[in-house]
PDB file of all heavy atoms in Angstrom:
ATOM      1  N   CYS A 131      -4.120   0.949  -3.231  1.00  0.00           N
ATOM      2  CA  CYS A 131      -4.514  -0.238  -2.465  1.00  0.00           C
ATOM      3  C   CYS A 131      -4.450  -1.459  -3.372  1.00  0.00           C
ATOM      4  O   CYS A 131      -5.416  -1.784  -4.070  1.00  0.00           O
ATOM      5  CB  CYS A 131      -5.925  -0.066  -1.908  1.00  0.00           C
ATOM      6  SG  CYS A 131      -6.144   1.393  -0.868  1.00  0.00           S
ATOM      7  N   ASP A 132      -3.313  -2.129  -3.373  1.00  0.00           N
ATOM      8  CA  ASP A 132      -3.117  -3.284  -4.235  1.00  0.00           C
ATOM      9  C   ASP A 132      -3.111  -4.568  -3.419  1.00  0.00           C
ATOM     10  O   ASP A 132      -2.940  -4.548  -2.197  1.00  0.00           O
ATOM     11  CB  ASP A 132      -1.790  -3.159  -4.997  1.00  0.00           C
ATOM     12  CG  ASP A 132      -1.811  -1.998  -5.980  1.00  0.00           C
ATOM     13  OD1 ASP A 132      -2.845  -1.810  -6.641  1.00  0.00           O
ATOM     14  OD2 ASP A 132      -0.798  -1.284  -6.076  1.00  0.00           O
ATOM     15  N   PHE A 133      -3.286  -5.687  -4.118  1.00  0.00           N
ATOM     16  CA  PHE A 133      -3.183  -6.984  -3.458  1.00  0.00           C
ATOM     17  C   PHE A 133      -1.746  -7.220  -2.991  1.00  0.00           C
ATOM     18  O   PHE A 133      -0.793  -6.694  -3.571  1.00  0.00           O
ATOM     19  CB  PHE A 133      -3.601  -8.111  -4.410  1.00  0.00           C
ATOM     20  CG  PHE A 133      -5.067  -8.117  -4.737  1.00  0.00           C
ATOM     21  CD1 PHE A 133      -5.513  -7.873  -6.022  1.00  0.00           C
ATOM     22  CD2 PHE A 133      -6.002  -8.368  -3.748  1.00  0.00           C
ATOM     23  CE1 PHE A 133      -6.864  -7.877  -6.330  1.00  0.00           C
ATOM     24  CE2 PHE A 133      -7.360  -8.371  -4.030  1.00  0.00           C
ATOM     25  CZ  PHE A 133      -7.782  -8.129  -5.328  1.00  0.00           C
ATOM     26  N   LEU A 134      -1.615  -8.019  -1.943  1.00  0.00           N
ATOM     27  CA  LEU A 134      -0.300  -8.329  -1.397  1.00  0.00           C
ATOM     28  C   LEU A 134       0.350  -9.479  -2.154  1.00  0.00           C
ATOM     29  O   LEU A 134      -0.333 -10.343  -2.710  1.00  0.00           O
ATOM     30  CB  LEU A 134      -0.430  -8.725   0.082  1.00  0.00           C
ATOM     31  CG  LEU A 134      -1.007  -7.680   1.035  1.00  0.00           C
ATOM     32  CD1 LEU A 134      -1.288  -8.308   2.391  1.00  0.00           C
ATOM     33  CD2 LEU A 134      -0.053  -6.513   1.185  1.00  0.00           C
ATOM     34  N   ARG A 135       1.659  -9.523  -2.144  1.00  0.00           N
ATOM     35  CA  ARG A 135       2.388 -10.692  -2.628  1.00  0.00           C
ATOM     36  C   ARG A 135       2.326 -11.785  -1.557  1.00  0.00           C
ATOM     37  O   ARG A 135       2.022 -11.510  -0.392  1.00  0.00           O
ATOM     38  CB  ARG A 135       3.840 -10.351  -2.922  1.00  0.00           C
ATOM     39  CG  ARG A 135       4.042  -9.315  -4.015  1.00  0.00           C
ATOM     40  CD  ARG A 135       5.517  -9.052  -4.207  1.00  0.00           C
ATOM     41  NE  ARG A 135       6.166  -8.680  -2.953  1.00  0.00           N
ATOM     42  CZ  ARG A 135       7.474  -8.619  -2.770  1.00  0.00           C
ATOM     43  NH1 ARG A 135       8.293  -8.925  -3.767  1.00  0.00           N
ATOM     44  NH2 ARG A 135       7.973  -8.259  -1.613  1.00  0.00           N
ATOM     45  N   ALA A 136       2.622 -13.015  -1.944  1.00  0.00           N
ATOM     46  CA  ALA A 136       2.544 -14.130  -0.996  1.00  0.00           C
ATOM     47  C   ALA A 136       3.463 -13.905   0.204  1.00  0.00           C
ATOM     48  O   ALA A 136       3.060 -14.098   1.363  1.00  0.00           O
ATOM     49  CB  ALA A 136       2.898 -15.443  -1.697  1.00  0.00           C
ATOM     50  N   ASP A 137       4.712 -13.484  -0.028  1.00  0.00           N
ATOM     51  CA  ASP A 137       5.658 -13.258   1.070  1.00  0.00           C
ATOM     52  C   ASP A 137       5.174 -12.139   1.981  1.00  0.00           C
ATOM     53  O   ASP A 137       5.272 -12.226   3.204  1.00  0.00           O
ATOM     54  CB  ASP A 137       7.045 -12.913   0.517  1.00  0.00           C
ATOM     55  CG  ASP A 137       7.712 -14.109  -0.141  1.00  0.00           C
ATOM     56  OD1 ASP A 137       7.201 -15.231   0.029  1.00  0.00           O
ATOM     57  OD2 ASP A 137       8.735 -13.918  -0.822  1.00  0.00           O
ATOM     58  N   ASP A 138       4.650 -11.067   1.367  1.00  0.00           N
ATOM     59  CA  ASP A 138       4.154  -9.954   2.170  1.00  0.00           C
ATOM     60  C   ASP A 138       2.924 -10.358   2.976  1.00  0.00           C
ATOM     61  O   ASP A 138       2.714  -9.883   4.091  1.00  0.00           O
ATOM     62  CB  ASP A 138       3.811  -8.767   1.269  1.00  0.00           C
ATOM     63  CG  ASP A 138       5.042  -8.166   0.611  1.00  0.00           C
ATOM     64  OD1 ASP A 138       6.144  -8.346   1.156  1.00  0.00           O
ATOM     65  OD2 ASP A 138       4.901  -7.525  -0.443  1.00  0.00           O
ATOM     66  N   GLY A 139       2.096 -11.238   2.394  1.00  0.00           N
ATOM     67  CA  GLY A 139       0.903 -11.692   3.096  1.00  0.00           C
ATOM     68  C   GLY A 139       1.247 -12.471   4.354  1.00  0.00           C
ATOM     69  O   GLY A 139       0.664 -12.244   5.423  1.00  0.00           O
ATOM     70  N   ALA A 140       2.209 -13.385   4.255  1.00  0.00           N
ATOM     71  CA  ALA A 140       2.625 -14.157   5.424  1.00  0.00           C
ATOM     72  C   ALA A 140       3.226 -13.251   6.488  1.00  0.00           C
ATOM     73  O   ALA A 140       2.957 -13.403   7.689  1.00  0.00           O
ATOM     74  CB  ALA A 140       3.636 -15.232   5.003  1.00  0.00           C
TER      75      ALA A 140
END
Side-chain angles (χ1 to χ4, degrees):
C131 303
D132 294 319
F133 291 115
L134 299 170
R135 298 179 306 168
D137 290 348
D138 293 337

